[in-house]
């Protein structure tokens, strides 16, 4: 079987509370575990994306608008949509493991470190496409920007 979900691969969550959110695969478990006996991946994603900023905004407002709210989750492969993109975050691999989900305090610590890593990456200006929401508002209508992932023209 071809391993589509390698660590660092960017995917889109299709089902659940975070449906439509972009995630990075941290660890893939093709054989499953005792608690989750299905093929799944441990992912870190963005629950709340950074907001648009302009030159007129002050430092306080910029600091507020550049915040990222991450989430950590174990997602079934059938609920992930792989993209052609990859995100290189070496520090991310050691932050989350299967034991992270057992204690809420460990999960909160993992979220804090992921938040710091994501915000540093956003401030550096790398991987801008990852920090933009999948849905982009155009006037009153919503437009799916899935075409850039599927190599289709709109």
């Amino acid at each position: 079987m071809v391993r589509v979900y390698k660590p660092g691969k960017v995917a889109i969550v299709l089902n659940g509370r975070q449906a439509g959110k972009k995630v990075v695969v941290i660890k893939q478990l093709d054989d499953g575990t005792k608690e989750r006996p299905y093929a799944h991946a441990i992912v870190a994603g963005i629950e709340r994306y950074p907001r648009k900023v302009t030159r007129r905004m002050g430092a306080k407002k910029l600091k507020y608008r550049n915040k990222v709210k991450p989430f950590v989750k174990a997602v079934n492969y059938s609920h992930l949509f792989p993209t052609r993109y990859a995100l290189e975050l070496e520090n991310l691999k050691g932050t989350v493991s299967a034991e992270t989900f057992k204690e809420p305090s460990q999960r909160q610590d993992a979220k804090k470190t992921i938040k710091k890593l994501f915000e540093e990456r956003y401030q550096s200006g790398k991987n801008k496409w990852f920090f933009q929401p999948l849905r982009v508002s155009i006037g009153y209508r919503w437009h799916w920007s899935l075409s850039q992932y599927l190599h289709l023209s709109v």
Side-chain angles (χ1 to χ4, degrees):
M1 186 175 146
V2 179
R3 291 173 62 175
V4 177
Y5 299 107
K6 295 177 183 173
K9 186 78 166 173
V10 176
I12 300 169
V13 179
L14 298 175
N15 285 15
R17 184 169 151 196
Q18 276 89 20
K21 304 291 185 186
K22 295 176 190 171
V23 294
V24 181
V25 176
I26 297 172
K27 187 176 183 182
Q28 83 278 3
L29 299 156
D30 295 328
D31 300 329
T33 59
K34 203 172 202 179
E35 294 85 25
R36 295 182 175 88
Y38 49 85
H40 63 281
I42 295 175
V43 297
I46 300 177
E47 192 169 335
R48 189 170 46 230
Y49 292 93
R51 301 180 73 188
K52 185 180 174 184
V53 294
T54 60
R55 284 187 188 176
R56 296 179 69 180
M57 294 179 186
K60 188 176 178 183
K61 196 163 198 172
L62 284 175
K63 185 180 174 188
Y64 171 75
R65 287 180 158 250
N66 286 336
K67 285 186 181 176
V68 173
K69 184 179 180 185
F71 66 89
V72 180
K73 197 172 184 181
V75 183
N76 191 333
Y77 280 169
S78 61
H79 301 308
L80 286 176
F81 182 81
T83 64
R84 60 184 170 158
Y85 299 109
L87 193 71
E88 289 299 322
L89 288 174
E90 293 79 25
N91 304 338
L92 201 61
K93 294 175 186 172
T95 58
V96 182
S97 63
E99 290 79 35
T100 307
F101 297 103
K102 292 180 181 172
E103 293 245 356
S105 61
Q106 287 181 338
R107 184 180 272 215
Q108 288 172 350
D109 293 341
K111 276 188 196 178
K112 285 178 185 175
T113 56
I114 289 168
K115 178 178 178 156
K116 193 162 59 168
L117 290 170
F118 278 167
E119 285 179 353
E120 286 172 6
R121 179 62 72 138
Y122 178 68
Q123 292 292 335
S124 68
K126 295 179 182 175
N127 307 109
K128 285 188 178 181
W129 47 268
F130 183 72
F131 297 101
Q132 294 172 350
L134 186 62
R135 263 189 177 181
V136 180
S137 174
I138 302 174
Y140 325 142
R141 298 174 293 152
W142 290 94
H143 170 68
W144 281 92
S145 61
L146 255 176
S147 61
Q148 69 183 16
Y149 303 104
L150 298 175
H151 305 285
L152 301 175
S153 59
V154 178

